[in-house]
Amino acid sequence: MRAVVQRVSQARVVVAGETVGQIGQGLLVLLGVGRGDTPDDAAYLARKIAGLRVFSDEEGKMNLALAEVGGEVLVVSQFTLYGDTRKGNRPSFVGAAPPSEGKRLYERFCDLLTAQGLHVETGVFQAHMEVHLTNDGPVTLWLDSAERLQPRRL
């Protein structure tokens, strides 16, 4: 699974002119599910994202996690994170999970965040969405669950 995580002061997702998910301070997570991803990938990313210390403490250092600042999470499905642009100019999405599998793991990821006591809002899976956000910092991180199995680079 892949995630682009943005620290936001606010974010919302709109489908067909209607706001379907909205948060204040917190994290916007664009989540892509790849072929072969498992519930272990969802659990890893949910733990990692919930624990990210990207919010400022009283000294202005990024040292606090979501729960410590009362932050919320907006999770938006994003199969295009698996777009492969190595050949030609049109991205190939063969690395993305089939929709039924993607939806199952997307929902599992959201449930795992909720189980950690976080307030989670979502977009609509497979819908055309408009995502509006105010990136705070800016702070943007890329996470890939496959990297947990690789040695750490120095």
Side-chain angles (χ1 to χ4, degrees), residues 76-145:
V76 177
S77 62
Q78 188 81 40
F79 78 94
T80 60
L81 291 177
Y82 280 90
D84 184 347
T85 59
R86 290 177 291 178
K87 181 179 177 187
N89 292 319
R90 183 190 317 220
S92 167
F93 299 106
V94 298
S100 61
E101 185 66 14
K103 183 175 184 180
R104 184 178 69 81
L105 287 172
Y106 167 81
E107 290 173 349
R108 176 75 178 139
F109 172 82
C110 293
D111 290 345
L112 289 164
L113 287 175
T114 301
Q116 294 182 66
L118 298 172
H119 176 83
V120 177
E121 296 275 324
T122 64
V124 176
F125 193 86
Q126 284 191 294
H128 179 88
M129 295 175 272
E130 296 175 3
V131 180
H132 304 262
L133 67 130
T134 304
N135 191 317
D136 180 21
V139 174
T140 303
L141 300 169
W142 163 270
L143 289 85
D144 189 326
S145 63

Side-chain angles (χ1 to χ4, degrees), residues 27-82:
L27 296 175
L28 168 64
V29 178
L30 304 175
L31 184 72
V33 180
R35 288 188 183 277
D37 283 343
T38 69
D40 287 343
D41 292 291
Y44 168 79
L45 280 186
R47 279 191 314 274
K48 188 61 125 175
I49 290 169
L52 285 174
R53 294 173 19 177
V54 296
F55 295 92
S56 298
D57 63 15
E58 59 279 346
E59 296 176 13
K61 294 182 181 176
M62 285 198 298
N63 202 29
L64 301 175
L66 267 169
E68 295 171 298
V69 298
E72 304 170 295
V73 185
L74 176 59
V75 184
V76 177
S77 62
Q78 188 81 40
F79 78 94
T80 60
L81 291 177
Y82 280 90

